[in-house]
Amino acid sequence: METVVSGIRSTGKLHLGNYYGAVQNFVKMQHEFNCFFFIADYHSLTTHPTPADLHGNVKQVLVEYLAAGIDPERATIYVQSDIPEIPELYLFLNMNAYLGELERSTSFKDKVRSQSDNVNAGLLTYPVLMAADILIHRATKVPVGKDQEQHLEMARTFGNRFNRMYNTEYFPEPYAFSFTDNLVKIPGLDGKGKMGKSEGEANAVFLSDSPEVIRKKVMKAVTDAGPTEENQQKPDVISNLFSLMKVVSAEDTYSYFDDLYNKCQIRYGDLKKQLAEDMILATAPVRERINDIASNAPYLSKVARLGAEKARASASKTLNDVREIIGFRHF
Ligand code: TRP
């Protein structure tokens, strides 16, 4: 069975776009592959979180992925910093990662521009740590978006370089993977494209948003002056609301508002009120699970321990092999 690895940013609280899209990918994958999903808390140190924020972020992400349907018995879900073999492999890979290639990475260049006051070595070697995350389980499939393609290419480069250097075929090549064909695309509330945190908090509805916050965000969504011709095409600032409705509302609710739009009788206030209530209803079960799991410390600690145990079994096997290949010998 093929091995899948994916790292989840520890500041990545889930919005509806993640929930109906990428996370469903994970949930499906856990039934078909040997899956390792981890919370990338070492990576998050590049931005210097406070100790309280660091732990809080890791907990929120763990809770939300469990609530969204990752089964800790089926998949291996773990916290990166529980696996000491990862930084050890990172050290080895760093010896054959070159300054020039690391400096040329797009994400590094972006960071140099956006946070010029904090260009630390961890940022520079971020792709090496990510390669270690993947190679530690000798994974071949990595469910990530387009923005991670270059990092994946570097992971292949580092694995291949190790193989060549030691004349082995130890590391397989990891490639991006998704069931995207069936992924639902969730637009943001601003009508400017897909839902995302980087487009501003108000553009995205988070699973952790309270019903009150969801109502406020939806009611604030931009609309236009209304349709002027029957059956006209919907502009982006309106079609996004309908797309969201398609996902969270009943079919006849959707057609009711679609008909009103087509007859030029729609009142956007009513549409948004309905959309907000249906969003709240659709996400209520997962919100409830989030609250249950978040307050269940024994369960969380059991899940984290189980994940670490399974991940370390795989990681320590790789690391033993790697040490042997490199030439470390016991006296
Ligand atoms: N860089 C990824 C992101 O920003 C997170 C990540 C870290 C990752 N290590 C990984 C993803 C290993 C896949 C595999 O989203």
Side-chain angles (χ1 to χ4, degrees):
M1 200 197 287
E2 282 192 271
T3 297
V4 169
V5 168
S6 196
I8 304 158
R9 284 175 229 186
S10 63
T11 49
K13 62 176 176 166
L14 292 175
H15 55 63
L16 298 191
N18 307 129
Y19 179 61
Y20 288 107
V23 177
Q24 296 314 317
N25 230 346
F26 281 22
V27 171
K28 264 195 263 172
M29 262 183 256
Q30 68 185 345
H31 297 284
E32 297 188 29
F33 303 107
N34 181 26
C35 287
F36 292 92
F37 302 128
F38 70 93
I39 300 160
D41 57 347
Y42 279 148
H43 287 277
S44 81
L45 294 184
T46 55
T47 55
H48 306 161
T50 66
D53 280 352
L54 178 64
H55 180 70
N57 290 341
V58 170
K59 179 179 170 185
Q60 180 170 11
V61 171
L62 178 61
V63 166
E64 291 190 351
Y65 275 77
L66 291 169
I70 302 291
D71 175 355
E73 306 279 343
R74 226 172 229 293
T76 298
I77 181 160
Y78 59 100
V79 180
Q80 185 185 31
S81 61
D82 280 340
I83 317 300
E85 289 82 3
I86 294 171
E88 192 170 342
L89 181 59
Y90 165 66
L91 182 147
F92 297 150
L93 296 175
N94 264 324
M95 302 303 171
N96 296 298
Y98 293 99
L99 182 60
E101 65 190 336
L102 296 173
E103 280 175 334
R104 277 193 300 278
S105 121
T106 320
S107 65
F108 180 70
K109 287 194 284 193
D110 285 348
K111 295 288 184 201
V112 169
R113 236 170 283 131
S114 67
Q115 51 178 76
S116 55
D117 56 336
N118 180 25
V119 184
N120 57 66
L123 269 182
L124 184 71
T125 57
Y126 184 108
V128 188
L129 181 54
M130 179 159 160
D133 294 328
I134 298 165
L135 298 175
I136 197 76
H137 302 300
R138 301 168 77 198
T140 50
K141 288 182 153 52
V142 185
V144 284
K146 283 251 170 312
D147 62 323
Q148 298 296 312
E149 197 41 74
Q150 197 180 30
H151 285 153
L152 261 189
E153 193 184 326
M154 293 170 92
R156 290 192 289 274
T157 300
F158 299 144
N160 285 334
R161 195 172 286 160
F162 178 95
N163 289 349
R164 227 173 309 113
M165 176 151 193
Y166 295 106
N167 196 19
T168 155
E169 289 179 4
Y170 190 68
F171 290 120
E173 289 191 321
Y175 282 94
F177 174 77
S178 86
F179 293 105
T180 28
D181 299 349
N182 324 317
L183 281 193
V184 193
K185 295 222 167 32
I186 304 287
L189 287 172
D190 62 6
K192 289 185 188 149
K194 61 179 195 176
M195 186 175 282
K197 194 162 69 161
S198 45
E199 284 75 25
E201 283 264 329
N203 169 57
V205 173
F206 294 92
L207 290 181
S208 50
D209 285 343
S210 66
E212 254 333 290
V213 170
I214 296 179
R215 280 186 198 107
K216 274 205 193 103
K217 284 184 179 175
V218 174
M219 293 318 285
K220 273 202 202 133
V222 188
T223 50
D224 61 8
T228 49
E229 275 171 51
E230 293 203 348
N231 302 313
Q232 75 175 58
Q233 218 197 328
K234 300 181 185 84
D236 291 348
V237 285
I238 302 303
S239 71
N240 64 333
L241 301 179
F242 276 93
S243 302
L244 288 165
M245 193 165 238
K246 194 146 226 164
V247 176
V248 298
S249 302
E251 233 173 280
D252 52 351
T253 307
Y254 178 90
S255 18
Y256 170 77
F257 285 100
D258 194 45
D259 284 347
L260 285 178
Y261 186 87
N262 287 332
K263 290 188 284 192
C264 300
Q265 290 169 3
I266 191 148
R267 286 165 42 183
Y268 290 138
D270 295 346
L271 169 89
K272 291 202 272 189
K273 241 185 233 151
Q274 180 75 43
L275 176 61
E277 292 318 308
D278 288 345
M279 253 182 199
I280 291 164
L281 267 181
T283 52
V286 68
R287 213 178 356 265
E288 224 167 88
R289 280 199 299 277
I290 288 175
N291 293 335
D292 285 350
I293 296 173
S295 57
N296 192 344
Y299 175 71
L300 277 175
S301 114
K302 200 179 102 193
V303 166
R305 233 181 304 121
L306 174 68
E309 212 173 273
K310 290 198 283 177
R312 282 201 77 182
S314 157
S316 61
K317 161 131 199 2
T318 302
L319 206 72
N320 280 336
D321 294 343
V322 165
R323 293 184 70 103
E324 174 68 31
I325 291 169
I326 293 178
F328 292 110
R329 302 278 186 271
H330 293 295
F331 287 100

